[in-house]
């Protein structure tokens, strides 16, 4: 199959969202630009880490960090068909464009990031989104809220606790 490159240089929307109830949610990253919609399946921990790192970048780089972000609390766009399950993700600052750039590649056997020029026909699929500060701030807010809305976490092992508790590996598999 030919390599796919999903580029969103001026997205109308970039969000994290979920389908399902807490404890049984599937997490997505989704970008929309015009009629193009691309969704990736991600892990909750990836959303949390991405929001934290993007928040660090926004806080360090944004002169207008005190401005309230736009609020996008609408559901994921449809059709919701995932392009791939995200494995490696990279976050960077494009100083020339004044934008934060996210790049994701599918899960691979090695788990390594593979740098391949955009014009190369072979290599992993790539999902790339370039965000100005306002949408980046909104992504951080929404993603952080989304992660916090899940099940509480165990104070010992940071794993999710469902209504029946959980077998905590740090408590020697005792029910917590």
């Amino acid at each position: 199959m030919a390599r796919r490159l999903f580029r969103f240089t001026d997205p109308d929307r970039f969000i994290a969202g979920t389908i399902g109830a807490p404890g049984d949610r599937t997490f997505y990253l989704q970008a929309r630009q015009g009629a193009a919609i691309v969704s990736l399946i991600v892990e909750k921990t990836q959303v949390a880490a991405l929001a934290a790192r993007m928040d660090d970048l926004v806080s360090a780089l944004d002169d207008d960090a005190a401005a309230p972000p736009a609020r996008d609390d609408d559901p994921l766009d449809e059709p919701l068909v995932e392009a791939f399950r995200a494995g490696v993700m990279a976050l960077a600052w494009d100083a020339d464009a004044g934008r934060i750039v996210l790049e994701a590649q599918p899960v691979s056997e090695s788990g390594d990031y593979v740098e391949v020029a955009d014009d190369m026909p072979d290599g992993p699929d790539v999902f790339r989104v370039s965000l100005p500060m306002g949408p980046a701030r909104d992504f951080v807010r929404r993603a952080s809220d989304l992660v916090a809305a899940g099940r509480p976490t165990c104070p010992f092992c940071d794993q999710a606790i469902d209504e029946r508790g959980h077998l905590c590996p740090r408590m020697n598999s005792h029910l917590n």
Side-chain angles (χ1 to χ4, degrees):
M1 184 186 314
R3 176 176 183 234
R4 299 176 298 173
L5 180 59
F6 305 104
R7 276 190 288 211
F8 294 88
T9 55
D10 195 20
D12 301 319
R13 186 175 200 216
F14 176 64
I15 61 168
T18 61
I19 299 293
D24 195 29
R25 295 188 294 178
T26 301
F27 284 77
Y28 292 88
L29 292 181
Q30 187 178 73
R32 180 185 72 212
Q33 187 169 330
I37 300 170
V38 176
S39 304
L40 307 181
I41 291 180
V42 292
E43 296 296 325
K44 178 181 181 179
T45 54
Q46 288 175 299
V47 174
L50 180 59
R53 299 306 167 259
M54 193 176 290
D55 188 38
D56 290 345
L57 270 174
V58 168
S59 296
L61 298 167
D62 192 7
D63 293 337
D64 198 20
R71 293 195 63 96
D72 180 352
D73 292 318
D74 292 338
L76 292 161
D77 288 324
E78 294 186 16
L80 187 60
V81 178
E82 71 272 1
F84 57 82
R85 178 177 290 276
V88 178
M89 291 193 290
L91 199 58
W93 170 246
D94 180 346
D96 294 336
R99 291 174 173 248
I100 293 175
V101 178
L102 165 73
E103 189 169 291
Q105 294 180 357
V107 172
S108 68
E109 288 181 23
S110 70
D112 294 330
Y113 175 78
V114 179
E115 190 169 345
V116 180
D118 289 352
D119 60 351
M120 298 299 293
D122 295 323
D125 292 345
V126 174
F127 172 84
R128 186 177 304 133
V129 178
S130 176
L131 295 172
M133 286 299 172
R137 282 194 309 269
D138 189 42
F139 175 86
V140 168
R141 183 211 43 90
R142 180 180 172 129
S144 298
D145 290 351
L146 192 68
V147 170
R151 297 174 291 166
T153 57
C154 173
F156 303 109
C157 68
D158 288 330
Q159 292 182 9
I161 301 173
D162 63 27
E163 63 269 0
R164 297 178 308 272
H166 84 115
L167 295 176
C168 179
R170 297 194 87 197
M171 294 290 293
N172 206 14
S173 295
H174 287 86
L175 193 62
N176 186 16

